[in-house]
Amino acid sequence: MNRAVLRLVAVATLSMAMAACTSSSAETPEPTASAGLDTGADCPGLAEQGRRIVFGQPLGTELGGLVLGTGSTGVVLAHMAGGDVCQWLPYGRELADRGYRVLAFDFAGSGSSPGSGVSRAEQVQAAAATLRAEGASRTVLMGGSMGATSVLAATPTLNPAPAAVVALSPPTAYGDADASTAAPKITVPVFYGAGELEANFPDAARQLYNATPKTTQRQLVLAPSNQHGLFLVDPGTGEAGIRDQVKAFLDRHAPTA
């Protein structure tokens, strides 16, 4: 490949998606107003643009989240290790301005959410169910690094199935989330992205892309960047090529209307 000419590597295989999976362990919750969880405390200027909620109680956990926007297509934003909702809020605001209903949340043991024994995949399932309870008719799962692995692990067991999945710099496994086991079971459109200059993560993205069934609409984009995870699409740090590719993927598979 001539890297001086082609700086963005995109591999796409388009086909009809298979039928959605039929089971999920997450009950549909009734999200409540924030009850003492100061979600987004480390970024008050951004957090005040969203509405704080608490969800996950039917699973035996309390997860703090911020809802932005009011669209009928919901997007779950799952953060990276060592982070919280603040990581996603600049991009989340951008999505909300484009007409999406967005839920960025703190995984258990991160940010405002107390620790629990609930798996990360179940937490993502609860977030998707919460968006539906909030009024979204369909959902997208999007995550960076640890969050990317978590949304992939959640996808095959989510019912209703997500409209699409975006995984940025996903490890093949992280803690209790195993993306390598989930990838062969994914039947909904899935976008794998990473920075070409990251260590290990481009190879992991390729591995997961290759493990995803060829009958699934799947896309792999490697950007000429050392940015990691969600920072690939962040309005301030992101790589323009991959930002554009993610936008086109969402417009194609999960438009706002």
Side-chain angles (χ1 to χ4, degrees), residues 34 37-53 64-69 84-93 96 102-106 111-112:
S34 180
L37 297 184
D38 194 10
T39 308
D42 290 337
C43 54
L46 291 170
E48 68 185 11
Q49 300 176 35
R51 173 170 53 85
R52 288 184 174 93
I53 63 170
L66 286 167
V67 177
L68 301 91
D84 59 18
V85 296
C86 295
Q87 290 182 327
W88 269 120
L89 290 185
Y91 188 68
R93 180 71 268 168
V102 176
L103 171 56
F105 75 98
D106 289 335
S112 64

Side-chain angles (χ1 to χ4, degrees), residues 95-109:
L95 289 174
D97 289 344
R98 281 163 43 193
Y100 291 97
R101 185 188 303 262
V102 176
L103 171 56
F105 75 98
D106 289 335
F107 278 107

